[in-house]
Amino acid sequence: MRIREVEVLVASPGRNFVTLRITTDDGVVGLGDGTLNGRELAVAAYLSEHVAPLLEGRDPHAIEDTWQLLYRGAYWRRGPVTMSAIAAVDVALWDIKAQVAGLPLYQLLGGASRERCLAYGHASGVDVAELIESVHAHREQGFRAIRVQTGVPGLGPVYGVASSAGGGERYDFEPARRGALPAEERWDSRAYLRHVPSVMESVRQEFGPELMLLHDAHHRLTPIEAARLGKSLEAYDLFWLEDVTPAENQEALRLVRHHTTTPLAIGEVFNTVWDYRTLLAEQLIDYVRSPVTHAGGITGLRRILDLAGQYQVRSGMHGPTDVSPVGMAASLHLGLALHNFGIQEYMLHSAETNAVFSPRFTFDDGGLRPSEEPGLGVSYDDEVAARFPYERAYLPIARRPDGTVHDW
Ligand code: CS2
Ligand code: MG
């Protein structure tokens, strides 16, 4: 069996996605996700110009050898563009292997370790009243774990908050604020730090102690601010506090950890095991946020999570809408099989996205389960995709009160 064709598919059904389609000479078709939000065409060019010519004629079953060829053979290693491209190839090859075996992919990864993957949804509101309404709506949808984000008094729209009444799972920039240039938001860490504890207080008062609550600080705090936030939220028993600092400075987490018992999740922008070395060896975090898509595929992420498991650190795979249904299905197959699975982020895709990919994973009793059909359980409809051509779209940027660019 040989790889006959490698196609890079770029479309914007609700938002941009880069999908890799590998077809074998036997006609087996595998899909991989290479979407890198706001920098999509860099991965598409990396795949079509540099990777596709290496794949044609290769044995699709040689997944490990292909991974090593693309990782070591390029000389230039790591980074989000490279690792998203490798992920796209890796997942497409796993999809093919599982279809040939006639098994759902998770069976090839060791079989199911649980019934379903606990999932968390995104509740948000411009103020606390709207947030509470949004949390109610998510509970009605069946979520038992919910991320809560609100606007901050004195600031305008902020990261992770839908502006529509009642909140909802979509942020403004997904896709409404697309435009020629990035939208700019204001950010003030002091105002944020004053506000968040009162938000958690209101949510706990309304919903009681059982509901699993998560919160994302989106890399915006200094280590000492992060330590203070973690400490001030201890009484509200968060499931996790995410991305408190820009964690490429791994040692900075020592200070945060020293001051708080609030569980910490980090890593949606990380892509190899090297990004986690100190964080894991010193047990400075509790959850690994990398998804299959940005961390070198199932093969790459499994290396990170196997090491994490030795330190009782669990998975918390990134699952916003910019991880396509293909990437989401791959994360679910791995999550179902992993021993140290923790939780899966699940931000529902739009109807347009689902019309292109027809994902067959299911959400039930607060958890997700991948499809039982052979392979990943996702497909790609070219005709529907053709109705949604690529549109350049940037993530917003954040500026401090004096205009300085802040961490996004
Ligand atoms: C977020 C994302 O899901 C999350 O936790 O941090 O919304 C993130 O900002 C985007 O996926 C960036 O692509
Ligand atoms: Mg996040």
Side-chain angles (χ1 to χ4, degrees), residues 69-97:
L69 173 89
L70 297 177
Y71 184 78
R72 293 174 201 276
Y75 185 65
W76 310 105
R77 295 185 185 183
R78 308 167 61 190
V81 175
T82 298
M83 299 313 289
S84 301
I86 294 178
V89 175
D90 184 77
V91 169
L93 296 182
W94 277 110
D95 188 14
I96 290 172
K97 192 187 278 295

Side-chain angles (χ1 to χ4, degrees), residues 134-395:
S134 174
V135 175
H136 274 295
H138 280 79
R139 276 163 53 102
E140 277 154 31
Q141 283 174 36
F143 283 104
R144 291 189 283 118
I146 300 179
R147 187 184 93 160
V148 291
Q149 309 286 138
T150 55
V152 177
L155 301 183
V158 293
Y159 156 78
V161 178
S163 64
S164 58
E169 58 275 338
R170 309 223 172 281
Y171 309 155
D172 284 356
F173 58 84
E174 290 190 331
R177 279 215 215 152
R178 286 175 174 198
L181 293 169
E184 292 198 358
E185 296 181 348
R186 307 301 286 179
W187 181 254
D188 181 349
S189 296
R190 294 188 68 235
Y192 167 77
L193 289 169
R194 282 195 303 272
H195 185 56
V196 181
S198 67
V199 173
M200 296 303 168
E201 172 71 30
S202 306
V203 173
R204 276 287 175 230
Q205 265 181 20
E206 177 80 11
F207 297 97
E210 189 64 27
L211 181 63
M212 289 173 264
L213 288 180
L214 302 87
H215 180 70
D216 190 348
H218 223 252
H219 327 264
R220 291 188 173 184
L221 304 176
T222 63
I224 200 69
E225 288 168 345
R228 205 177 113 207
L229 179 64
K231 208 168 167 176
S232 67
L233 298 181
E234 276 169 18
Y236 308 112
D237 185 26
L238 293 196
F239 184 96
W240 81 32
L241 179 59
E242 177 182 344
D243 283 338
V244 279
T245 60
E248 56 267 35
N249 177 5
Q250 298 184 44
E251 290 75 13
L253 268 295
R254 287 180 190 144
L255 187 142
V256 183
R257 195 63 151 177
H258 187 74
H259 287 283
T260 182
T261 55
T262 295
L264 302 172
I266 270 178
E268 66 184 43
V269 300
F270 289 171
N271 38 70
T272 72
V273 74
W274 299 99
D275 302 320
Y276 286 100
R277 208 157 65 130
T278 304
L279 294 174
L280 295 178
E282 296 187 22
Q283 297 185 254
L284 302 179
I285 58 170
D286 302 279
Y287 295 92
V288 161
R289 287 286 285 139
S290 295
V292 163
T293 302
H294 303 131
I298 287 170
T299 304
L301 184 58
R302 201 161 54 169
R303 293 192 215 292
I304 299 172
L305 291 173
D306 280 348
L307 180 64
Q310 308 313 308
Y311 298 100
Q312 291 173 285
V313 175
R314 293 189 286 159
S315 72
M317 292 178 229
H318 195 206
T321 54
D322 44 294
V323 169
S324 87
V326 175
M328 189 70 179
S331 287
L332 292 176
H333 283 284
L334 180 59
L336 197 70
L338 268 182
H339 174 256
N340 56 323
F341 172 82
I343 198 166
Q344 173 65 54
E345 182 179 14
Y346 181 39
M347 200 177 162
L348 277 62
H349 284 111
S350 67
E352 292 90 339
T353 301
N354 289 336
V356 171
F357 293 96
S358 307
R360 269 89 72 190
F361 47 77
T362 51
F363 177 66
D364 183 34
D365 194 21
L368 288 154
R369 219 190 133 94
S371 154
E372 283 301 315
E373 70 189 79
L376 272 175
V378 180
S379 42
Y380 193 89
D381 187 322
D382 292 275
E383 274 177 33
V384 179
R387 300 210 304 263
F388 304 103
Y390 167 78
E391 288 172 60
R392 185 182 301 126
Y394 291 97
L395 283 161

